[in-house]
Amino acid sequence: MKKKLFFSAALLLSLGLAGCGETATKDEPTNDSKQEASAPAAKEEGKLTEEKFKQIKEGMTYEEVVKIVGAEGNIMSETGSAGEPHHTVMYEFETDGVMSSSTMMFQGGKLINKAQFGVETSDIEITLDQFNKLENGMTKEQVFDILGGEGAVLSESGDIVMYTYNGKSLGANASLMFQGGKLMNKTQLGLE
């Protein structure tokens, strides 16, 4: 349940960062989006792995992402029409982990957000004491020094990156959001 809430928060962040306004979920892509969604896949059985997720970068086209993943994504939502400047499509990609998921959002044909849950995890455990030492405005380097390293990238949109860290007890975690390389938000659940 906690994982679903955490992913939901990241998904909401992704939607908010795209400046989409209203989104309409569709079972079938429109004629305009079918062209974008019909790029040839390298392997139909391809799944998104941690290594593939790390290769995907902002500004890539849907076709470039499909080539890395090895399979098409499924449209989760679409705003506007193909050819419009703010035409935004969010795809979900099949992942290789149990209870994991990943979404990629494209605007104007370019990747503007990638998000994942359970695809990439952090080996670094965070304590409540470490969390309390973090202050908004700190640089990534200062934060990573306190925590002993970089967490797993949960979501990335432009210069906004959200990292996740595990706590010592089951389900305990922290998420840290950076903008322009500086800590802008910290959230924890169940840290000891």
Side-chain angles (χ1 to χ4, degrees):
M1 179 69 173
K2 290 177 185 175
K3 288 182 179 181
K4 286 184 181 180
L5 290 174
F6 195 68
F7 181 72
S8 295
L11 184 60
L12 287 174
L13 170 68
S14 299
L15 289 172
L17 291 173
C20 298
E22 293 182 23
T23 59
T25 303
K26 301 187 179 205
D27 293 329
E28 291 291 322
T30 63
N31 288 338
D32 292 329
S33 63
K34 282 183 183 177
Q35 182 180 12
E36 186 175 343
S38 64
K43 297 181 228 170
E44 288 300 317
E45 67 277 2
K47 294 183 179 180
L48 185 68
T49 64
E50 179 176 350
E51 294 77 26
K52 292 175 182 178
F53 185 79
K54 288 179 178 180
Q55 292 175 35
I56 296 169
K57 304 293 181 203
E58 180 182 0
M60 287 184 163
T61 64
Y62 175 76
E63 290 79 11
E64 290 171 319
V65 171
V66 166
K67 186 175 180 182
I68 291 170
V69 174
E72 298 279 338
N74 294 315
I75 294 177
M76 293 182 66
S77 69
E78 182 175 14
T79 301
S81 298
E84 293 178 351
H86 297 292
H87 177 232
T88 305
V89 184
M90 180 186 289
Y91 294 91
E92 179 179 36
F93 286 89
E94 188 175 353
T95 59
D96 70 339
V98 176
M99 293 185 60
S100 63
S101 62
S102 180
T103 60
M104 307 280 170
M105 186 178 296
F106 297 82
Q107 190 170 63
K110 301 287 184 182
L111 182 69
I112 62 168
N113 176 270
K114 67 177 189 174
Q116 64 86 22
F117 182 81
V119 174
E120 179 183 1
T121 58
S122 175
D123 294 333
I124 299 169
E125 288 185 347
I126 184 174
T127 65
L128 185 58
D129 183 52
Q130 288 172 308
F131 180 84
N132 289 334
K133 290 178 183 175
L134 304 179
E135 296 179 17
N136 287 337
M138 286 182 162
T139 65
K140 280 185 182 182
E141 293 75 22
Q142 291 170 315
V143 170
F144 296 163
D145 277 348
I146 291 169
L147 301 181
E150 184 176 327
V153 173
L154 184 63
S155 177
E156 189 172 357
S157 288
D159 71 343
I160 299 175
V161 182
M162 181 181 281
Y163 293 90
T164 183
Y165 292 84
N166 295 322
K168 294 191 183 287
S169 60
L170 182 63
N173 64 71
S175 61
L176 308 175
M177 186 181 299
F178 293 85
Q179 183 171 21
K182 297 204 179 220
L183 183 64
M184 65 179 278
N185 179 277
K186 63 180 192 172
T187 306
Q188 67 90 15
L189 180 65
L191 294 182
E192 299 173 2

